[in-house]
Amino acid sequence: MLDLSFVRDNLELVKQKMRERGLADVLGDFEALDRERRKLLGEVESRRARRNKVSDEIASLKKRKQDASQLIAEMKPLSEEIQQLDEQAKACDERLREVLRIVPNVPHSSVPVGRGAEDNQEVRRWGEPRQFDFEPRAHWDLGPALGILDFERATKIAGARFAVYAQVGARLERALANFMLDLHTREHGYTEILPPFIVNSASLFGTGQLPKFQEDLFKLEGTDYWLIPTAEVPVTNLYRDEVLEAEKLPVKHCAWTACFRSEAGSYGKDTRGIIRQHQFQKVELVKFTVPETSYDELESLTRDAETILQRLELPYRVVALCTADLGFSSAKTYDLEVWLPAAREYKEISSCSNFEAFQARRANLRFRRSKAGKTEFLHTLNGSGLAIGRTWLAIIENYQQADGTVIVPPALRPYLDGLERITRQT
RNA sequence: GGAGAGGUGGCCGAGUGGCUUAAGGCGGCGGUUUGCUAAACCGUUGUACGGUCAAAAGCUGUACCCAGGGUUCGAAUCCCUGCCUCUCCGCCA
């Protein structure tokens, strides 16, 4: 959420930035609502001031056992007026807040201006896509052939966009989670969190999924509980309504969770394989920082995520999302895209974002520079480190051999009892 | 699921309709005393949204005692609804 007075004082800038996102009208009648709200506030507050004053007079008259009935009679219509004006002011305030709740973050000045995904800018590449002397197969062929991935039974027990991992396939998923968590906790200084996979709507509002993106989520019927679409939600909300001490920042957490997404509106997209599932696992990196370091922290968070791909020796590139492709809450985002040889393309495997104070304002995440100082909103960042299902399939595809077996990347072997090659499971 | 007890400032905790602009304490900040530290003593204390101002400071107004309604000239206080926490019982990995 943007700051009300920031929007008021920088209206043209905000409008321009929204146009760059491709959202010309998102501010609606902000100006008129803001003016109206301030007018009503003034009217209701001056009447309240009068009521408070006269109430004191009534009290002192009564204390002296004098008659206050005339003043009380005078106050009755004033109270009704206050109630009416207050209702108008509240309605106006609510409409203004509704506008603010659906206005996305202002893109950082370094974000490339663009009209769609084609305007995203490649920042760097790492690794050379392997040259195959045979036609590389997609994971949805290799996985079932190896007996480590089963779509048919997943469809039976749940439905489309689910998968069953079997035997060494299941173990590979678990190994990847441990490998990622160990790396980030031991070498990158993140402390591990295992949060609830179910959250309330206040948490989803805090990170920006609600109220606008309800249809992307699974809700538990008859409750205020939702399945998390990413660990970003519970972990960012850990310190909601708290004041952190500046010297403790940055706070860096990593968390492994399952993630659940309804994928409404993506029918027909990535329908084969495990690229786009209703349930997947992810290790998430989350940072809480002071405002002046958040862009440095975005660079290092992105590099922390890249390290996973480098250790697994998977070729990838880093892409800076343009204004049109930027997520709702984000001020700047780098996507990591891993090379998929069967499709011959780079595919998103991580998204690293700086939200500046956008989520902090929604979730009331504050810090204090000194014990006597004022509280300020901190900055939040997060990134996948990495999406485990997509890492799994990237390994299967990039390390496949002509005979259909898969070499295990050396960095992962300690997590699989030294296993060097995935062969057909029986 | 059943029974009960609660929710007050950064924290603890008083407060049964108007001398409460929320007592008192802790903590924080400033000061006095002190060779230093500690102690003692004195003062001070939150958030949000408005107004004033070129702006800041300052001044000023309103709101905030879990949330939302209601009663009343006036609500932390009385009434209703909801949420949350704790204790005990039941069920349960």
Coordinates of all heavy atoms in Angstrom, one line a residue, chain A residues 36 59 73 106 145 393 404 425:
Chain A
E36 N -12.8 15.5 -0.5 CA -14.1 15.3 0.2 C -13.9 14.8 1.6 O -14.5 15.2 2.6 CB -15.0 14.3 -0.6 CG -16.3 13.9 0.1 CD -17.3 15.0 0.0 OE1 -17.0 16.1 -0.6 OE2 -18.4 14.8 0.5
A59 N -21.0 18.6 33.1 CA -20.4 17.9 34.2 C -20.2 18.8 35.4 O -20.5 18.5 36.6 CB -19.1 17.2 33.9
A73 N -30.4 19.6 26.3 CA -31.3 19.7 25.2 C -30.7 20.2 23.9 O -31.0 19.8 22.8 CB -32.5 20.6 25.6
V106 N 4.9 1.6 -6.6 CA 5.6 2.4 -7.6 C 6.9 1.8 -8.0 O 7.7 1.5 -7.1 CB 5.8 3.8 -7.0 CG1 6.7 4.7 -7.9 CG2 4.5 4.5 -6.7
A145 N 9.0 -42.6 -17.3 CA 9.8 -43.7 -17.8 C 10.7 -44.2 -16.7 O 11.0 -45.4 -16.6 CB 10.6 -43.3 -19.0
L393 N 12.9 -30.7 -12.1 CA 12.8 -31.0 -13.5 C 13.9 -30.5 -14.3 O 14.3 -31.1 -15.3 CB 11.4 -30.5 -14.0 CG 11.3 -29.0 -14.3 CD1 11.7 -28.7 -15.8 CD2 9.8 -28.6 -14.1
G404 N 18.4 -42.7 -21.0 CA 17.2 -42.3 -20.2 C 17.5 -42.2 -18.7 O 16.6 -41.9 -18.0
Q425 N 13.4 -47.2 -11.7 CA 13.0 -47.7 -10.4 C 12.0 -48.9 -10.6 O 11.2 -48.9 -11.5 CB 12.3 -46.7 -9.6 CG 13.1 -45.4 -9.4 CD 14.3 -45.6 -8.4 OE1 14.1 -45.8 -7.3 NE2 15.5 -45.5 -9.0

